[in-house]
Amino acid sequence: MKNIALVGFMGTGKSTVGRILAERLGAEFIDLDELIEREEGISVKEIFFTKGELYFRQLEHRMVHEVSQAGNRVISCGGGVVLDETNIQCLKQAGVVVCLQATVEDIVNRIRINVDRPLLNVKDKAERIQKLLEERQPCYDRIDFKINTSGIDPRGVAELILKLVRDEIEDK
Ligand code: S3P
């Protein structure tokens, strides 16, 4: 099969849903942030703080390219992958890109206990999320397939994705 790349804001469930989807399809699951952490030997948070966001984005871009070299993969991407349109083009060449969406409220609830996200390391998380979502909206608008995850559990989201892209991922 062709790849399914999951993009979308932090806390929209990309990794959880991606794992379920990969298992369901008998495909390889790749979490891009985990790959980056393994390559660098430190966490994403530490990369941001010690080497800067630009360094992280360059690494992310290289990894997008690498994981797009083979098929039969479900790739969960970091929330900022959409910022670079060439990332999306690259992922599209090897398969289909699906954007997971959620409300600010859902995102706040999902990320609350997690302190690993450098861009959300602020007091007023809802305000920062709202601002970033607005900034990134034009990027999401460019993605063909979108799923609203509000009120749906990860298994349900995985099923919706399957229905949406089943024909697209078939090797023809
Ligand atoms: C980021 C999202 C994070 C991670 C990094 C930057 C972003 O991934 O790549 O902290 O810019 O939205 P998740 O979406 O998996 O949290």
Side-chain angles (χ1 to χ4, degrees):
M1 61 167 246
K2 293 184 184 141
N3 293 338
I4 300 178
L6 300 182
V7 302
F9 203 78
M10 296 171 260
T12 50
K14 293 165 295 195
S15 300
T16 312
V17 170
R19 271 198 187 87
I20 296 170
L21 204 53
E23 199 179 306
R24 178 89 165 62
L25 289 163
E28 181 187 3
F29 173 70
I30 297 180
D31 185 299
L32 214 59
D33 278 348
E34 275 177 22
L35 206 63
I36 290 170
E37 292 184 334
R38 243 179 285 142
E39 169 99 356
E40 287 290 290
I42 53 175
S43 69
V44 166
K45 189 179 169 188
E46 284 168 310
I47 300 172
F48 263 73
F49 286 133
T50 60
K51 302 185 176 179
E53 181 170 352
L54 184 63
Y55 179 87
F56 175 79
R57 295 298 175 208
Q58 285 165 347
L59 204 57
E60 189 173 49
H61 180 73
R62 183 153 64 78
M63 290 303 174
V64 163
H65 190 78
E66 270 180 32
V67 298
S68 303
Q69 297 310 304
N72 209 39
R73 291 174 165 170
V74 175
I75 305 155
S76 158
C77 302
V81 151
V82 295
L83 295 170
D84 182 344
E85 177 60 16
T86 64
N87 285 340
I88 303 302
Q89 292 311 325
C90 192
L91 292 165
K92 267 179 153 178
Q93 271 168 21
V96 57
V97 179
V98 180
C99 182
L100 301 191
Q101 300 188 297
T103 61
V104 174
E105 205 186 2
D106 280 347
I107 294 170
V108 171
N109 286 332
R110 288 193 194 139
I111 56 126
R112 186 171 295 160
I113 41 161
N114 190 314
V115 291
D116 293 336
R117 293 185 169 96
L119 294 178
L120 300 180
N121 192 18
V122 293
K123 212 160 162 237
D124 193 341
K125 296 202 191 320
E127 188 189 60
R128 168 63 64 87
I129 290 165
Q130 182 69 52
K131 188 168 174 288
L132 284 173
L133 275 174
E134 276 165 25
E135 277 172 23
R136 294 178 177 185
Q137 193 55 49
C139 306
Y140 301 136
D141 289 343
R142 286 196 286 268
I143 313 283
D144 304 325
F145 297 100
K146 298 186 189 72
I147 302 264
N148 182 353
T149 65
S150 282
I152 311 171
D153 70 5
R155 287 203 172 272
V157 176
E159 288 307 318
L160 284 177
I161 295 172
L162 266 182
K163 271 194 203 126
L164 195 66
V165 303
R166 201 183 297 264
D167 293 344
E168 304 281 332
I169 57 171
E170 252 177 55
D171 281 317
K172 286 169 191 143

